[in-house]
Amino acid sequence: MTRAENPALERLRITLRGAVQGVGFRPFVYRLATELSLTGWVLNSSAGLVVEVEGPPDQLARFEERLERERPKASVVTVRESARIETQGSTRFEILSSDADSGKTVNVLPDLATCADCRAELFDPANRRFQYPFTNCTNCGPRYTIVVDIPYDRPNTTMREFVLCPACREEYENPANRRFHAQPNACPVCGPKLDGTIQDAAQALRRGEIVALKGIGGFQLLVDARRAAAVARLRQRKHREEKPFALMMPSLEVAREYCDISPAEVELLESQAAPIVLVKPKNATDLAWNVAHCSPYLGVMLPYSPLHHLLMQECRFPLIATSGNRSDEPIAVANDEATTRLKDIADRFLMHNRPIVRACDDSVVRLTRGRAGILRRARGYAPLGIRVRHSLPPVLAVGGHLKNTVAIAVGQDVFLSQHIGDLDTLEARGAFERAIADLCRLYSFKPEAVACDLHPDYASTHWAERSGLPIVRMQHHQAHVAACAAENDVEGEYLGVSWDGTGYGLDGAIWGGEFFRGEGNRFERIAHLRPFGLPGGDAAVREGWRSAASLLFEACGPEAADPRVRLMLERSINVVPTTSVGRLFDAVASITGVAQQNRFEGQAAMLLENEIGPLRTEEAYPLSGGDWGPLSQAVVADKRAGVSVPLIAARFHNALVAWILEVAAQVGLKQVVLSGGVFQNRYLTERAAAALESRGFTVYTHQRVPPNDGGIALGQAVMARL
Ligand code: ZN
Ligand code: ZN
Ligand code: FE
C-alpha cells in the first residue's frame, strides 16, 4: 500500500537506550525503514538512539516488530520508549549526525571479537584487507578500549589519529555498507600498522621464547603451552607460582583435542565477548604439566582480534596467553610502558600504533547450573551496565580490596568498571584511581557520595576517606548478596547466603559464613558458622594448616593441633575469630592432605572440589547449626580409617549443602540468593541450587557479575539507595 492510497499516516518517535551505539544500529534502522517505505530519521544522541518514522499504521507496527526481532546481534536494549507524535510530511528517511548535548547516559559498548565477514576477508587474497591485522566493521572490533569520550564517534576514539583514505571513507559514509560509521574502520593504506612481523613473532614462539603482544585491552604474554621449560621461565619471570594460565587455541577444532567442550561452552567461546572459558581438560595431551598444575579446569579462548587470527594461523599450537604484567600489577597498555615494565619478562615484542585508552584483561567465564557465569569481568563485558529496579542516587562504589572493580550509579543503571585486580601494589592502586577518574569522565558523572567496604584497612576504604565526599560504609557480605539480588532483579524478602574467605564483620570479627534475611538494603544476620580462631591472623589466609590446627585443637583436643601454633591457641595470643567458610575449606583440605597452603586465593578449596571428580553420593558429615565440631571429628576419623579423599571431599561439600537447606527450612523465605567467592565452587553451587529447587525454593546465583569480590561494587552501589 503506498502513501498516496492511504492518507491516514502516523508518526512514531522511538527512543532506545542501552548498548545501541557502535553496533550498526543506525544503518540497520535505515535499511529497515527504507524497505518498509517509511520516512523520517534516526539519530545517535548521547541520551540514546532516537528514531522517528512516518507511514501507514500497519507498516509502523511491522517496523516496531522487526526493530526488536532483527536488531544487531551485539546490541542490548535496556529501555525502549515509543510515542505517537504529529506527522511532519517527511519525504525520505535519513541518518542525522550525532548531537553532542549533555546528559551522557548512553552505554559505551564493550570490545567485540572479529566477526565472520571480517574473518573471511582477512584470509581472502583478493580482498584489500587481506592479512590486515586491524580490520573491523560495525559488527566487530574494539570499542571500550579505544573510546576517549562519548558519544561514540571517530573523533572521540584513538582512531582520530588516522585519516580515512577515500576507499575507507566511502565505506564509512555509505549506509548500505557493513562499515557504515564503523568508528575504527581502517585498511592497510590509512590504518594502524604493526611494528614487527607476525612471522618473526611466530618463529620466536616456536623456539620457546616469550612474546609480548599488544592486544585489544593491553599487552599479553604468549608462550608455547607445550614446552614446560618455557612455561616455567614465564612463571618465574612473572612471579606467578601455580595459578593456572589461560590458553589461546588456534581454532575450536584444536581446542577440542585438548578439552571436552559442551555446545553451551562452544557458544561462549564463539560469542562476541570471546572470553576465557573454563572447560574440562582431557587427559594425556601434549600440554606442559605446569600450565594449570592440578586445576580441574583449563581456561581456553579463541582468537578474538585479526592480529590473533593471523598469529594463530602461523602457530597452529596452543599458546599461553596471560596478562602482560608482573603478578599483582595492572596490565601494560602503552608501548613505552610495556617495553620498560615487561623487558625482564618478554624475549620479544610485537606492537602496533593504535593506542589503547584503558586496560582491559581477558574475561573469565564458566558454566554453572547450565548458565554462563562471569568470574572475571573485563574485555567483552565491561562497561555494560546492570539495570536495577530502583533509581539510585549518584554514588560511586569503590569495591573491596581483592579482585577490585568500581561502579557508578546513574539512575537505574550501575556501570561497573573492568576488573582492576588486587590493590596490594602502588601500581594497582594507580590503576584503581585511573579507573574511577575514567568512568566518571566517560559518563560526565559527579558522585555525591562514595560507598566503600566497612574494612578500615582496605586501600579502597582509604581512598574513600580521602575523597572529601560523604562516605557510606557497607558490610562486605551484605554487599555480596545485594549484588546478586540486584543482578537477578529479586523483589521482596530473600534468604542471602554469603560465603567467602574474608570480610570485615559488623562486630569487627572476620566473617565469611553468613546468612541474612535481606530486602532492598535492609539486612538481618540470622545464622553463621560457629566461630573459630585463626592462629596468626592474616597468615592463615595463605596457610590453611593453621585453620586445621584450630579446628583440631577445639574438636579433638590440644594434642591434635599442629605444634607450631599450639601454644598460640592455648594462650589465645594473636588468634583472630572468624566465621569464614573459605577457611573451613582450607582446614578440611589440610586435614585430608590435599593442600596445606593457598598459593593463590581459593586454591585449597578448588583442589578439594577437584578431588570429588565424578564421584556422586548423598552422604554428608554433620554440620547442623553451622557447628564444625562434629564435622571435624568425622573428617579426622574417616582419614584415619583410610576413607578415600574423594569421598571425604564429597561428604564435606554435601554437609554445606545440608546446612543451607536446614537454615532455608527454618527461615521459610521462598527466595534464596547465593553469593561470595565460595560459590565459585561449581559442585557446591549446583548441588545447593538443585536441592533448594527440589524443595520449592527459587534460587538466584551470579551470572553477569562475579560471585567473588569483583561483584562487591555493584552491591555497594545498590545499598546506597537510602
Ligand atoms: Zn566485522
Ligand atoms: Zn583506508
Ligand atoms: Fe568477599
Side-chain angles (χ1 to χ4, degrees):
M1 202 188 295
T2 67
R3 238 168 285 136
E5 290 165 311
N6 184 358
L9 296 183
E10 286 179 1
R11 191 175 180 97
L12 283 180
R13 185 184 181 117
I14 303 167
T15 306
L16 302 172
R17 295 214 287 135
V20 291
Q21 288 190 340
V23 287
F25 219 117
R26 285 176 299 170
F28 157 69
V29 170
Y30 176 89
R31 281 192 296 269
L32 185 59
T34 313
E35 193 190 314
L36 296 171
S37 308
L38 300 171
T39 63
W41 48 258
V42 56
L43 169 73
N44 225 354
S45 88
S46 47
L49 189 92
V50 187
V51 188
E52 286 194 13
V53 275
E54 190 167 320
D58 56 335
Q59 287 294 84
L60 290 177
R62 220 158 284 153
F63 177 84
E64 285 211 279
E65 184 214 326
R66 287 182 61 184
L67 187 68
E68 174 52 34
R69 195 154 37 88
E70 298 169 21
R71 66 184 166 79
K73 259 199 322 214
S75 64
V76 183
V77 177
T78 54
V79 182
R80 178 195 169 120
E81 287 154 13
S82 184
R84 191 172 305 167
I85 58 171
E86 221 161 284
T87 56
Q88 293 178 6
S90 47
T91 55
R92 61 195 179 103
F93 195 88
E94 51 193 330
I95 296 176
L96 302 182
S97 58
S98 301
D99 67 358
D101 60 12
S102 55
K104 303 180 180 183
T105 53
V106 165
N107 288 16
V108 178
L109 260 199
D111 304 296
L112 307 172
T114 309
C115 73
D117 290 336
C118 285
R119 238 159 38 223
E121 290 174 355
L122 190 63
F123 295 110
D124 172 10
N127 192 279
R128 71 189 190 94
R129 291 187 176 87
F130 177 57
Q131 297 192 338
Y132 179 57
F134 304 98
T135 184
N136 64 83
C137 71
T138 48
N139 302 317
C140 73
R143 300 284 187 274
Y144 184 47
T145 55
I146 60 163
V147 60
V148 179
D149 203 356
I150 57 174
Y152 177 69
D153 259 335
R154 192 169 174 108
N156 285 338
T157 72
T158 60
M159 288 303 292
R160 62 186 164 200
E161 299 171 22
F162 302 93
V163 179
L164 288 166
C165 71
C168 286
R169 173 154 298 281
E170 140 64 29
E171 295 166 340
Y172 185 86
E173 289 173 352
N174 177 2
N177 195 285
R178 197 175 92 241
R179 293 187 167 86
F180 174 73
H181 280 228
Q183 307 309 343
N185 191 25
C187 77
V189 176
C190 65
K193 289 179 174 50
L194 274 186
D195 181 7
T197 72
I198 288 165
Q199 287 70 27
D200 286 349
Q203 199 94 78
L205 288 164
R206 278 192 288 266
R207 283 195 302 265
E209 290 178 20
I210 299 167
V211 172
L213 175 96
K214 187 177 187 182
I216 295 292
F219 277 77
Q220 290 173 305
L221 293 163
L222 308 176
V223 79
D224 185 345
R226 302 164 308 171
R227 291 166 170 262
V231 176
R233 204 162 56 239
L234 177 60
R235 285 204 178 276
Q236 181 228 328
R237 291 185 189 172
K238 214 178 128 85
H239 299 296
R240 178 154 154 155
E241 302 174 273
E242 290 182 6
K243 196 171 173 191
F245 279 128
L247 302 178
M248 184 171 278
M249 293 290 187
S251 63
L252 186 61
E253 290 65 44
V254 176
R256 284 204 155 111
E257 293 170 18
Y258 290 89
C259 320
D260 289 317
I261 306 175
S262 71
E265 287 163 343
V266 169
E267 203 175 301
L268 273 174
L269 283 167
E270 293 185 331
S271 70
Q272 287 181 305
I276 294 168
V277 182
L278 299 185
V279 293
K280 274 268 168 242
K282 284 183 178 168
N283 293 327
T285 61
D286 61 358
L287 277 192
W289 64 275
N290 49 0
V291 168
H293 288 275
C294 31
S295 163
Y297 301 103
L298 202 55
V300 164
M301 63 185 141
L302 295 177
Y304 56 81
S305 77
L307 179 54
H308 287 134
H309 281 288
L310 294 169
L311 181 67
M312 294 315 288
Q313 209 208 19
E314 290 286 321
C315 300
R316 293 172 175 268
F317 49 88
L319 290 179
I320 282 180
T322 186
S323 308
N325 56 7
R326 213 176 287 274
S327 281
D328 308 326
E329 285 183 10
I331 185 169
V333 293
N335 294 4
D336 50 350
E337 178 199 4
T339 43
T340 325
R341 281 179 49 203
L342 303 180
K343 70 171 188 299
D344 299 329
I345 304 180
D347 298 307
R348 177 181 289 271
F349 288 83
L350 183 55
M351 309 200 274
H352 57 74
N353 61 346
R354 185 176 68 199
I356 297 171
V357 179
R358 59 188 63 77
C360 228
D361 288 88
D362 292 316
S363 295
V364 180
V365 179
R366 192 187 56 194
L367 282 185
T368 304
R369 302 173 74 203
R371 302 162 208 176
I374 297 179
L375 300 178
R376 179 167 78 191
R377 191 174 183 276
R379 179 192 51 78
Y381 300 104
L384 282 181
I386 306 285
R387 187 111 184 131
V388 297
R389 179 169 286 269
H390 301 280
S391 194
L392 299 167
V395 62
L396 162 69
V398 293
H401 186 77
L402 300 177
K403 299 182 166 70
N404 180 274
T405 59
V406 299
I408 55 172
V410 183
Q412 274 177 266
D413 292 306
V414 179
F415 297 102
L416 268 146
S417 76
Q418 66 279 25
H419 164 86
I420 297 164
D422 300 351
L423 303 183
D424 289 324
T425 63
L426 209 58
E427 287 79 6
R429 292 196 283 273
F432 162 80
E433 290 181 7
R434 281 195 300 281
I436 291 173
D438 183 47
L439 208 55
C440 291
R441 193 177 44 84
L442 203 51
Y443 288 95
S444 296
F445 179 76
K446 289 202 174 49
E448 286 175 12
V450 54
C452 66
D453 198 276
L454 195 61
H455 200 299
D457 298 328
Y458 280 0
S460 51
T461 306
H462 289 163
W463 185 91
E465 284 164 351
R466 289 194 312 268
S467 69
L469 292 162
I471 304 187
V472 271
R473 297 170 199 264
M474 307 303 184
Q475 201 281 319
H476 189 93
H477 302 96
Q478 296 178 355
H480 269 307
V481 288
C484 190
E487 76 153 303
N488 285 295
D489 199 23
V490 175
E491 196 189 4
E493 273 200 310
Y494 61 85
L495 172 66
V497 186
S498 197
W499 290 0
D500 66 358
T502 306
Y504 197 80
L506 289 172
D507 56 3
I510 299 172
W511 286 8
E514 316 309 310
F515 290 87
F516 298 101
R517 177 192 289 271
E519 185 177 13
N521 54 2
R522 286 182 297 112
F523 297 91
E524 182 197 347
R525 188 187 188 209
I526 49 178
H528 57 81
L529 191 71
R530 174 185 160 197
F532 62 98
L534 294 176
D538 273 353
V541 173
R542 210 176 147 82
E543 301 177 350
W545 62 267
R546 289 173 183 264
S547 297
S550 177
L551 296 195
L552 295 176
F553 183 91
E554 290 290 333
C556 308
E559 63 291 344
D562 192 304
R564 284 175 285 182
V565 292
R566 197 179 298 157
L567 202 66
M568 242 187 215
L569 289 163
E570 270 166 4
R571 299 187 182 169
S572 275
I573 299 164
N574 196 16
V575 176
V576 181
T578 187
T579 55
S580 163
V581 170
R583 298 288 85 83
L584 185 64
F585 265 94
D586 290 353
V588 175
S590 169
I591 296 170
T592 50
V594 169
Q596 302 305 331
Q597 287 193 55
N598 283 312
R599 291 184 204 281
F600 56 90
E601 198 197 7
Q603 184 186 24
M606 191 183 83
L607 294 173
L608 196 63
E609 178 193 358
N610 190 29
E611 284 294 335
I612 303 172
L615 179 86
R616 286 299 171 265
T617 174
E618 298 305 316
E619 296 165 17
Y621 292 126
L623 187 61
S624 180
D627 180 1
W628 40 259
L631 177 139
S632 305
Q633 288 160 358
V635 172
V636 170
D638 273 1
K639 179 71 179 148
R640 281 212 190 107
V643 173
S644 76
V645 173
L647 189 52
I648 297 178
R651 286 173 177 166
F652 169 65
H653 280 75
N654 295 348
L656 293 166
V657 173
W659 181 34
I660 294 175
L661 285 178
E662 178 186 284
V663 176
Q666 281 163 6
V667 174
L669 295 171
K670 279 292 143 208
Q671 308 189 97
V672 182
V673 169
L674 307 178
S675 186
V678 166
F679 290 102
Q680 292 173 107
N681 185 315
R682 181 150 86 176
Y683 179 94
L684 176 69
T685 306
E686 292 184 340
R687 292 280 288 215
L692 286 162
E693 281 171 344
S694 74
R695 285 161 183 79
F697 294 96
T698 308
V699 181
Y700 300 99
T701 50
H702 284 283
Q703 291 164 69
R704 288 174 296 162
V705 302
N708 59 49
D709 287 3
I712 286 282
L714 171 62
Q716 292 173 344
V718 295
M719 282 167 74
R721 184 154 66 91
L722 291 173

